[in-house]
Amino acid sequence: MSVIASQTGNKIAFFSTQPYDKSFFNKYNSDFGFELDFFETQLNPQTATLIQDCAIVCVFVNDIVNEAVIKQLAAKKVRIIALRCAGFNNVDLEAAKKYNLKVCRVPAYSPQAVAEHAMAMILTLNRKTHKAYNRVREQNFSLNGLLGFDLFGKTIGIIGTGNIGKAFAKIALGFGCKVLAYDIVTNDEMIKDGVEFVSLETIFKSSDIISLHCPLNDQTKHIINKDSIALMKDSVMIINTSRGGLIETACVIEGLKEGKIGYLGIDVYEQEEKLFFRDLSADIIQDDAIQRLMSFPNVLVTAHQAFFTNEALTQIALVTFNNIKLLLTDNDIEHKAGLLV
Ligand code: NAD
């Protein structure tokens, strides 16, 4: 047994857990035999105190894993931070290295889940099925206001052609769209499939629909801003299933008010950690920007649910447990994409 396992057992403290997390992780733990400790609360400097005798912490997209938290984890002899998601912008990797903590993630649990949700948002915004659903239930069978457009032949611009962007490109090609893509690395397989790699400027200028699939980092933060919106076609549709910080919210609100942006679909939001994954239906929301966004008839907000399929949750549980098992038994997972630090 490794040093990590012998010192602190095999207990995993899960943060930001929902009933479905408990259900999937409990179900697949039978093959692994970890001790599971589920906390509903987010991990942050205050809640890190909940961790007791535990070498492994499992976190999700809105947990705060900054240097202050990592320092506390190290003091509590936590050795592994296992992200049960793909994005890792919420983890200070430098601090993890400094305090000698391993960080792993689930790099590709179901790219299709997110790609299909991006297409679902496009179809909903375009064909207004969410409005039609409510309308006919009130015996209103009028079509006024439901006019859409053919997706066939439209230009879709994809920013970020990793696992999800690639899966989304296939779907868009299947609809008969012209697919443009921008990434810091081009992908020959996608070019063979008919995707055209172009500059970021060309994506902004030429796309009827822009779908964001790059990670949030210093280069991509607020990639959708006043200047990029100014380059876009009138009535452009913007879809963000990646990370909220890719969009400068105030600029998008201006673009919607001016009619420059014709449709906006967001599954992620810059300030989502105060809102998403909980029922706030009886609360007064203090975030004016999200309230403004939700008031537009041409904006669709989903609460970070693009990953939320049976297949994805199964993969998340299995890969997370497997990452932890490999680290605990000192197996080198350097070559498995899951290990970040
Ligand atoms: P990935 O690592 O496979 O692909 C990311 C791609 O972005 C890579 O090809 C990379 O080269 C590219 N990239 C990096 N920097 C870039 C830049 N400056 N400009 C353009 N492209 C750049 O990741 P993935 O699995 O495809 O996931 C993409 C993002 O989707 C994740 O970072 C995560 O934030 C988000 N995500 C959201 C959900 C959800 O439920 N909404 C679920 C999973 C992932």
Side-chain angles (χ1 to χ4, degrees), residues 192-236:
K192 264 191 231 143
D193 286 346
V195 175
E196 193 185 333
F197 277 81
V198 296
S199 68
L200 196 52
E201 191 176 330
T202 304
I203 293 275
F204 293 140
K205 283 185 172 165
S206 309
S207 305
D208 300 298
I209 298 167
I210 296 171
S211 195
L212 305 176
H213 299 290
C214 56
L216 175 62
N217 56 35
D218 290 346
Q219 287 73 50
T220 60
K221 188 172 169 78
H222 291 172
I223 200 165
I224 304 298
N225 56 39
K226 192 167 180 273
D227 296 338
S228 54
I229 293 168
L231 294 174
M232 292 176 196
K233 283 188 175 182
D234 288 343
S235 202
V236 63

Side-chain angles (χ1 to χ4, degrees), residues 86-87 89 105 107 109 114 159-165 182-185 213-217 219-220 223 241-243 267-268 304-307:
N89 50 286
R105 65 170 179 144
Y109 43 86
V114 182
I159 302 179
T161 53
N163 292 306
I164 297 170
Y182 170 76
D183 196 303
I184 47 176
V185 283
H213 299 290
C214 56
L216 175 62
N217 56 35
Q219 287 73 50
T220 60
I223 200 165
T241 55
S242 199
R243 283 292 179 266
D267 185 53
V268 286
H304 210 134
Q305 75 173 79
F307 74 100

Side-chain angles (χ1 to χ4, degrees), residues 54 59-60 62 110 147 172 225 229 257 276 283 303-304 320 329:
C54 169
V59 297
F60 196 48
N62 292 325
S110 172
L147 189 67
N225 56 39
I229 293 168
K257 280 163 78 177
F276 286 7
D283 292 21
H304 210 134
T320 302
T329 50

